[in-house]
Amino acid sequence: HQENQLDSTIPSELGLLTNLSIFVLATSGLTGTIPSELALLTNLEVFGCLGSPFSGQIPSQIGRLTRVALHQFYTSSLQGTIPSEVGLMVSLSRIAYFNANFEGSIPSQIGNLLNLQELDFSSNSLNSTFPSELYRLTKLSTFYMTNNYFIGTIQTEIGLFSKIRVFQIPTNNITGTIPSEFGLVNSLEEIVL
């Protein structure tokens, strides 16, 4: 099979499709920025952009998509930081920004996503410590932060991740010791440091 080769930008008029529940742009060749009008799709449950060379930033209006449970950006040319408004998407159970070209820090507002089960920010240019608010995400089962520039230590609060199965943070600038609190997390199946 061959991938679609749509040669266009995302029309802002797609924001008028208010009954839309799934909006995924698979590898396609679409370019340009992500229109802020997509934040009008308040019935969305799945929102993803996979392999399209979008530029610019994720619009801050994304926080209006409070029904989205699955949110993904894979292999894009986005610029800037992860918007703090993602922390308003309270239905999220999975967020994956793999190779999405983000830089800066993880917004502390991500700690408000109490239904989050999978968090994947691998292969970006994130370069801060892990915000302590992440340890409020007690439903997390997978934590992927590989291939970034994170600094600091693994905090002892790791023991609060009572449901985590996979914890991966290799290829970063983490220092310090391995906290003994890992021993409190009986659900762990995979640790990659």
Side-chain angles (χ1 to χ4, degrees):
H1 290 0
Q2 192 171 346
E3 295 176 358
N4 292 328
Q5 292 300 312
L6 302 172
D7 188 20
S8 165
T9 59
I10 301 174
S12 60
E13 291 80 5
L14 291 181
L16 300 173
L17 302 174
T18 55
N19 291 321
L20 205 60
S21 63
I22 298 174
F23 185 62
V24 177
L25 298 169
T27 304
S28 63
L30 289 171
T31 59
T33 60
I34 298 168
S36 61
E37 289 83 358
L38 293 183
L40 299 173
L41 303 174
T42 55
N43 286 314
L44 272 186
E45 295 174 12
V46 176
F47 179 40
C49 297
L50 315 175
S52 292
F54 294 110
S55 58
Q57 298 184 343
I58 294 179
S60 61
Q61 293 87 344
I62 197 163
R64 295 182 190 158
L65 302 177
T66 58
R67 288 184 166 190
V68 171
L70 171 60
H71 181 46
Q72 308 177 105
F73 278 94
Y74 286 178
T75 313
S76 69
S77 299
L78 293 169
Q79 300 156 347
T81 60
I82 298 169
S84 61
E85 290 82 2
V86 170
L88 299 173
M89 300 172 74
V90 293
S91 296
L92 275 175
S93 62
R94 180 173 189 239
I95 184 169
Y97 291 161
F98 176 81
N99 197 22
N101 207 33
F102 288 115
E103 59 189 21
S105 61
I106 296 175
S108 61
Q109 291 84 350
I110 297 287
N112 296 333
L113 303 175
L114 301 179
N115 293 312
L116 204 60
Q117 296 172 22
E118 182 174 327
L119 181 60
D120 184 351
F121 290 162
S122 297
S123 298
N124 284 284
S125 295
L126 300 171
N127 59 6
S128 65
T129 59
F130 297 128
S132 60
E133 290 83 1
L134 286 182
Y135 297 101
R136 292 192 304 211
L137 304 176
T138 57
K139 292 184 181 178
L140 266 186
S141 64
T142 56
F143 185 86
Y144 297 103
M145 298 289 164
T146 63
N147 197 27
N148 278 286
Y149 300 95
F150 288 112
I151 59 173
T153 62
I154 303 170
Q155 297 173 356
T156 58
E157 288 86 354
I158 192 71
L160 298 175
F161 283 158
S162 60
K163 295 185 179 181
I164 202 151
R165 293 181 305 99
V166 177
F167 184 84
Q168 291 190 5
I169 61 166
T171 321
N172 281 289
N173 296 315
I174 303 295
T175 57
T177 60
I178 298 173
S180 61
E181 285 77 7
F182 266 119
L184 300 174
V185 187
N186 293 328
S187 57
L188 265 171
E189 298 171 8
E190 183 178 332
I191 298 174
V192 182
L193 304 176

